[in-house]
Amino acid sequence: MSSDADREDLGRDPSTWTLDQLQTFIQNARGQQLETARVAAQGHAYDSAHPQEARGQWAKLSLLANRLMLADGEGHLTRVQQDFMLRMWVIDRLGPDDTDPDWSPEALAADTLDALTITPAQAAALADGWRDLAIEQICRLRWHKNLTAHLETLLGYLALGRTRDQLLAWASTRRLLP
């Protein structure tokens, strides 16, 4: 469904497509087409004119497009951050759902910890003299800062315990990062 002729049948603007039309398109799309579909689906998720259940379905579709790009190796750092930010938005705006790992605060917390490649102590130590670091190290610190952008909101949804404590350490360290 990703040919130009197929798109003509639907209309040029994916933001006008139905959930089913966009889902079918996403299954066959690649690259920039997936990003366009992701953004269109995310726009519907953010649209308060839609019922809450529909907004959750649109958000799922946006996550699907994002994860397909991630699976294709496209923009790993951006894709992971996009995933976390949309999940956090849904949890915060539409409500958490512990039966669905995409909308579970505990699952998002675990996924966040799994994605981090350095400890808060290592990040803080590097951040202290970040101007003297190689560009790759600065980028790594920035990635960790961006990857943890949702923590302040997420912490309010987590029960006391080890996971919350680990993320709390990251939230504090995040302020030190360039």
Side-chain angles (χ1 to χ4, degrees):
M1 169 87 111
S2 62
S3 73
D4 289 338
D6 291 330
R7 261 195 314 265
E8 284 295 322
D9 291 342
L10 293 174
R12 289 199 177 275
D13 183 2
S15 69
T16 64
W17 298 352
T18 67
L19 185 77
D20 290 337
Q21 289 170 325
L22 196 57
Q23 185 166 16
T24 299
F25 176 78
I26 285 171
Q27 296 301 329
N28 300 304
R30 294 289 173 260
Q32 186 57 44
Q33 291 176 331
L34 277 172
E35 177 63 7
T36 299
R38 182 196 70 76
V39 169
Q42 188 169 310
H44 284 290
Y46 290 164
D47 186 349
S48 61
H50 292 303
Q52 186 168 327
E53 183 179 338
R55 294 170 79 188
Q57 292 172 329
W58 283 108
K60 280 281 191 188
L61 196 54
S62 183
L63 285 177
L64 172 64
N66 192 60
R67 289 171 179 168
L68 288 170
M69 286 184 283
L70 183 60
D72 285 346
E74 294 186 32
H76 175 77
L77 305 177
T78 301
R79 297 295 122 220
V80 174
Q81 181 188 13
Q82 286 285 345
D83 185 280
F84 291 174
M85 293 302 290
L86 180 57
R87 288 169 64 190
M88 185 70 256
W89 182 88
V90 168
I91 290 167
D92 195 43
R93 299 290 176 91
L94 304 181
D97 180 356
D98 289 331
T99 65
D100 184 332
D102 287 332
W103 314 142
S104 165
E106 294 295 334
L108 178 54
D111 291 346
T112 301
L113 288 171
D114 286 345
L116 298 168
T117 61
I118 58 177
T119 67
Q122 290 169 325
L126 288 170
D128 190 38
W130 72 268
R131 285 180 177 84
D132 298 325
L133 296 175
I135 190 72
E136 295 82 19
Q137 289 177 302
I138 296 170
C139 289
R140 187 176 184 197
L141 287 174
R142 289 292 303 168
W143 183 68
H144 280 80
K145 183 173 186 169
N146 292 338
L147 191 63
T148 57
H150 62 287
L151 289 186
E152 285 189 29
T153 305
L154 179 59
L155 286 167
Y157 288 92
L158 299 177
L160 297 177
R162 184 171 188 244
T163 299
R164 187 177 190 285
D165 291 346
Q166 288 175 305
L167 291 176
L168 190 56
W170 265 107
S172 297
T173 301
R174 180 172 197 284
R175 295 180 188 103
L176 305 173
L177 301 179

